[in-house]
């Protein structure tokens, strides 16, 4: 009970931000244009509450609860929901695919950078970065494109037997992936990502031996 009382501001602000975000997303129209100043300000409420919740989060408590594992979950929400939706509604803009393709690893590195400057351990930075990269390369977004969107074209209303568009799979397999080969690649990458996130710490700390230590660099510079 004492712990909950100590972290009550974070928990209350988090609950309020989720509640207001739910109202904005599910109860308000998804308009491109802002209808009024009141609507704009109301839609900013979830962001303000979430920002204040994050500011109230105790880093030591977060470390104890391993809340860093939420970083890949946030990335997955972006990658397997918002990205497929963007591609679905912008099919006539082929350059958009390249921009999103470039944006995604940039966001991964941004997450890792923010985690590191917030005090995250080096081995956890590696875990998060490489796990999210594996999820990006997995093909989950391709599967999500087929499942989260309301397709009217019969070609996309069922999962195709051959994934000719998934060039990132083709270059690895040497041929366009069949449906089951695609599933196998997705599962393999997800399992590898979970392994990277949950494997013993000593395996990832060992990677630091290949990177010059700050103290060693300082002595060399002196």
């Amino acid at each position: 009970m004492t712990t909950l009382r100590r972290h009550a501001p974070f928990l209350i602000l988090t609950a309020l931000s989720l509640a207001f975000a739910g109202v904005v997303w599910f109860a308000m129209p998804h308009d491109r244009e802002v209808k009024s100043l009141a609507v704009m300000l109301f839609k900013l409420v979830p962001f303000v509450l979430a920002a204040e919740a994050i500011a109230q989060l105790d880093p030591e408590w977060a470390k104890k609860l391993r809340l860093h594992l939420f970083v890949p979950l946030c990335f997955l929400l972006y990658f397997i929901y918002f990205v497929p939706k963007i591609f679905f509604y912008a099919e006539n803009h082929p350059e958009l695919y390249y921009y999103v393709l470039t944006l995604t690893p940039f966001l991964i590195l941004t997450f890792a950078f923010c985690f590191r400057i917030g005090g995250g351990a080096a081995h956890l930075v590696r875990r998060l970065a490489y796990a999210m990269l594996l999820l990006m390369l997995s093909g989950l977004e391709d599967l999500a494109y087929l499942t989260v969107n309301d397709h009217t074209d019969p070609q996309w209303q069922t999962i195709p037997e051959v994934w000719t568009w998934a060039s990132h799979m083709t270059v690895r397999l040497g041929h366009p992936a069949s449906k089951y080969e695609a599933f196998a690649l997705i599962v393999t990458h997800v399992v590898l990502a979970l392994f990277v996130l949950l494997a013993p710490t000593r395996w990832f700390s060992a990677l630091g031996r290949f990177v010059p230590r700050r103290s060693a660099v300082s002595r060399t510079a002196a």
Side-chain angles (χ1 to χ4, degrees):
M1 185 63 68
T2 304
T3 301
L4 289 177
R5 189 179 301 116
R6 187 187 316 134
H7 302 293
F10 166 74
L11 296 171
I12 292 170
L13 287 165
T14 299
L16 287 173
S17 68
L18 291 173
F20 275 91
V23 172
V24 170
W25 187 258
F26 295 109
M28 299 181 71
H30 294 190
D31 292 326
R32 177 176 179 175
E33 295 182 1
V34 178
K35 301 297 185 182
S36 69
L37 178 61
V39 170
M40 184 184 78
L41 292 176
F42 185 84
K43 288 187 174 182
L44 289 175
V45 170
F47 178 89
V48 173
L49 290 170
E52 291 302 319
I54 294 170
Q56 291 287 340
L57 178 59
D58 179 0
E60 292 302 319
W61 189 55
K63 187 181 299 184
K64 183 185 299 184
L65 294 180
R66 302 182 73 184
L67 292 186
H68 64 275
L69 294 176
F70 274 89
V71 176
L73 293 178
C74 293
F75 172 73
L76 272 179
L77 176 62
Y78 153 78
F79 192 59
I80 67 174
Y81 182 76
F82 289 104
V83 170
K85 288 291 187 182
I86 290 170
F87 289 156
F88 180 72
Y89 290 110
E91 288 183 342
N92 296 325
H93 302 277
E95 288 188 1
L96 180 65
Y97 182 86
Y98 183 79
Y99 282 104
V100 174
L101 194 69
T102 306
L103 170 66
T104 300
F106 174 77
L107 284 178
I108 292 174
L109 293 175
T110 301
F111 290 152
F113 176 69
C114 292
F115 180 75
R116 181 59 170 164
I117 64 175
H123 74 91
L124 292 180
V125 172
R126 294 187 184 98
R127 287 174 183 264
L128 293 174
Y130 297 140
M132 286 186 283
L133 181 63
L134 284 166
L135 293 174
M136 178 186 130
L137 298 173
S138 66
L140 275 172
E141 179 272 322
D142 297 278
L143 180 60
Y145 179 84
L146 299 169
T147 55
V148 304
N149 294 311
D150 297 322
H151 293 280
T152 56
D153 187 338
Q155 178 184 357
W156 303 106
Q157 288 180 335
T158 58
I159 297 177
E161 293 298 321
V162 180
W163 292 24
T164 54
W165 73 92
S167 57
H168 64 96
M169 293 184 177
T170 301
V171 295
R172 284 179 280 173
L173 294 174
H175 60 269
S178 70
K179 176 171 64 175
Y180 296 108
E181 286 175 329
F183 290 164
L185 278 174
I186 291 171
V187 170
T188 300
H189 282 75
V190 170
V191 169
L192 286 173
L194 290 172
F195 171 78
V196 168
L197 289 171
L198 302 175
T201 299
R202 64 181 183 277
W203 295 0
F204 287 87
S205 298
L207 291 176
R209 299 170 188 167
F210 300 99
V211 181
R213 296 179 181 275
R214 286 194 298 272
S215 57
V217 171
S218 301
R219 287 195 298 270
T220 302

